Amino acid sequence: MKKTNDIDELNQRINDFKKRKTASSDVDKLSPQSASKGFQMSIELVSGVFVGAAIGYFLDYVFSTKPLFLCILLVLGGIAGMLNVYKTAHADDKNGERL
Amino acid sequence: MANPLEQFEIKPLINLSFKGYDISFSNSALAMCLTSVAIVIVFALLLRKRTIVPTLMQSVPEALYEFIYNLVKTNVGKGGLKYFSFIFCLFLYIAMGNVFGLFPYSFTFTSHIAAVGALSVLALIFNIVVGVYNRKLGYLRTFLPKGIPYILAPLVVPIEAISLLSKPFSLTVRLVANMTVGHIMLKILGGFVVGLGLFGFVPIIFQALIIIFELFIAVLQAFIYTVLSCIYLGDALRSH
């Protein structure tokens, strides 16, 4: 009877330890490096839209088709921004934690 | 309080013009020249006595060299080591420019979109040239990665093109934003020191801490710029 109690207690302790470990690793993730990564991702996202809009505006200016290209390339720029975020995150995964 | 943006003003030192274009030698250009000269002088002084077992002085540039060497090796691959000198120069130039800007009465040229943007566009052109030189027509695969049906090409090609062109933009904005924000913060706190009179010592403590943090940011941003340039160069050399 005592043995089962011991095992139960041990199990309880292991579970407690696991819980503590996951909690502390969550805290570790909130480092300035993660903030820098987040800042980088946000810039990647916005830069796609900006560059898309700039190219669109330029094409409209050249062909005087305002605002056709601006509208199309704004949307494509948004998609390109998301693609950039994906690529950057993917590159980070491949190289391990670095930035 | 003095205008915190005043420090970013470009003032012409020697007035020059070429066919109606203003090509004056400004304080920004002077900062760039001084940065380049400072790099050469520091490296020449540290590497004055070269020995096989490095002295403390010699180990600083050697550690930097090895650090960037390994960075290029992991991010671009062994084929990218040919372009190591370019990446190393880029890192030194930006890191030294950032640190140089922290000195009083100096000028932070890395806080100007024009200066950093030109550098980023140059890096992009370099990447494209390297990609085309190594992979010839295969470089066009960048715009249509393998496994994508040709029917999607009209949609994917512009997206990939914008993605490629937005790289220098994001590189520039990140570096410029970080540098500008830090310097504005320092200047505003400096204004508080004067404005608070006797209690001015409180912002001075903060300023001392922020300067240390800014030094860290200056090197970190140069490092991030270099890592991303390496990743982009790796993309240009390899197909997806």
Side-chain angles (χ1 to χ4, degrees), chain A residues 36 39-40 43-44 46-48 50-52 55 73 76-77 79-80 83-84 87-88 91-92 95 98-99, chain B residues 71 74-75 155 158-160 162-163 165-167 169-170 173-174 177-178 220 223-224 227-228 231-232 235 240:
Chain A
S36 135
F39 184 59
Q40 181 191 337
I43 291 177
E44 297 275 1
V46 175
S47 69
F50 265 103
V51 172
I55 298 172
L73 284 171
L76 289 183
I79 301 171
L83 184 71
N84 274 345
K87 275 184 189 167
T88 316
D92 277 359
N95 297 320
R98 51 173 54 251
L99 290 188
Chain B
L71 194 80
T74 27
N75 286 302
L155 197 66
I159 291 175
E160 287 285 350
I162 295 173
S163 159
L165 290 175
S166 67
K167 280 168 184 174
F169 187 80
S170 61
V173 170
R174 183 178 18 258
N178 273 290
L220 181 78
F223 169 66
I224 290 179
V227 169
L228 288 172
I231 290 173
Y232 297 158
D235 281 349
H240 288 284

Side-chain angles (χ1 to χ4, degrees), chain A:
Chain A
M1 189 66 197
K2 195 171 178 283
K3 218 170 198 177
T4 356
N5 270 347
D6 279 356
I7 291 172
D8 281 349
E9 200 191 310
L10 189 65
N11 259 336
Q12 185 64 38
R13 273 170 60 197
I14 290 172
N15 283 338
D16 281 352
F17 178 71
K18 274 184 184 167
K19 260 187 209 163
R20 253 185 297 152
K21 208 177 169 196
T22 39
S24 65
S25 68
D26 276 350
V27 172
D28 285 347
K29 279 177 192 162
L30 298 171
S31 62
Q33 284 178 332
S34 307
S36 135
K37 212 181 275 183
F39 184 59
Q40 181 191 337
M41 295 292 179
S42 60
I43 291 177
E44 297 275 1
L45 198 63
V46 175
S47 69
V49 180
F50 265 103
V51 172
I55 298 172
Y57 188 80
F58 174 74
L59 287 179
D60 278 336
Y61 181 76
V62 172
F63 300 114
S64 37
T65 49
K66 232 175 241 176
L68 179 71
F69 282 113
L70 181 67
C71 293
I72 296 171
L73 284 171
L74 199 65
V75 175
L76 289 183
I79 301 171
M82 298 213 183
L83 184 71
N84 274 345
V85 170
Y86 170 76
K87 275 184 189 167
T88 316
H90 197 62
D92 277 359
D93 278 352
K94 256 197 312 200
N95 297 320
E97 295 292 309
R98 51 173 54 251
L99 290 188

Side-chain angles (χ1 to χ4, degrees), chain B:
Chain B
M1 194 195 296
N3 183 2
L5 293 175
E6 203 184 313
Q7 54 181 323
F8 304 117
E9 222 170 272
I10 290 183
K11 292 169 199 135
L13 299 177
I14 304 167
N15 282 314
L16 293 170
S17 68
F18 178 74
K19 288 187 179 171
Y21 289 101
D22 185 12
I23 52 160
S24 301
F25 189 82
S26 58
N27 50 356
S28 175
L30 180 70
M32 286 180 208
C33 292
L34 286 177
T35 304
S36 312
V37 173
I39 295 170
V40 175
I41 290 177
V42 167
F43 267 65
L45 279 178
L46 290 179
L47 294 172
R48 206 174 31 178
K49 282 182 205 150
R50 283 186 296 273
T51 48
I52 292 172
V53 181
T55 54
L56 183 67
M57 295 249 276
Q58 193 187 335
S59 64
V60 175
E62 275 189 12
L64 266 179
Y65 184 96
E66 260 173 42
F67 179 63
I68 304 293
Y69 187 87
N70 286 329
L71 194 80
V72 176
K73 211 157 130 188
T74 27
N75 286 302
V76 193
K78 284 217 162 137
L81 290 177
K82 276 186 280 184
Y83 314 108
F84 166 75
S85 46
F86 174 71
I87 303 281
F88 193 47
C89 285
L90 205 63
F91 174 76
L92 284 182
Y93 186 61
I94 294 172
M96 198 63 117
N98 289 347
V99 173
F100 184 75
L102 284 173
F103 284 93
Y105 294 104
S106 70
F107 183 84
T108 329
F109 65 87
T110 44
S111 65
H112 275 268
I113 287 188
V116 184
L119 205 63
S120 304
V121 170
L122 193 78
L124 177 76
I125 293 171
F126 178 76
N127 282 359
I128 293 175
V129 169
V130 165
V132 172
Y133 179 76
N134 281 287
R135 286 164 56 196
K136 307 285 181 295
L137 277 177
Y139 182 71
L140 292 177
R141 271 277 164 210
T142 312
F143 299 106
L144 192 68
K146 263 185 193 145
I148 289 181
Y150 284 104
I151 198 159
L152 283 176
L155 197 66
V156 174
V157 172
I159 291 175
E160 287 285 350
I162 295 173
S163 159
L164 182 79
L165 290 175
S166 67
K167 280 168 184 174
F169 187 80
S170 61
L171 272 180
T172 309
V173 170
R174 183 178 18 258
L175 181 59
V176 168
N178 273 290
M179 286 301 112
T180 314
V181 166
H183 282 78
I184 291 177
M185 205 154 65
L186 281 177
K187 185 79 184 262
I188 290 176
L189 279 174
F192 281 160
V193 174
V194 182
L196 285 176
L198 266 182
F199 294 99
F201 68 91
V202 182
I204 286 186
I205 297 167
F206 276 103
Q207 237 180 349
L209 293 175
I210 287 175
I211 287 236
I212 296 168
F213 184 64
E214 276 301 306
L215 264 174
F216 166 70
I217 291 283
V219 181
L220 181 78
Q221 284 306 318
F223 169 66
I224 290 179
Y225 194 97
T226 318
V227 169
L228 288 172
S229 303
C230 281
I231 290 173
Y232 297 158
L233 188 64
D235 281 349
L237 283 172
R238 280 188 299 266
S239 53
H240 288 284

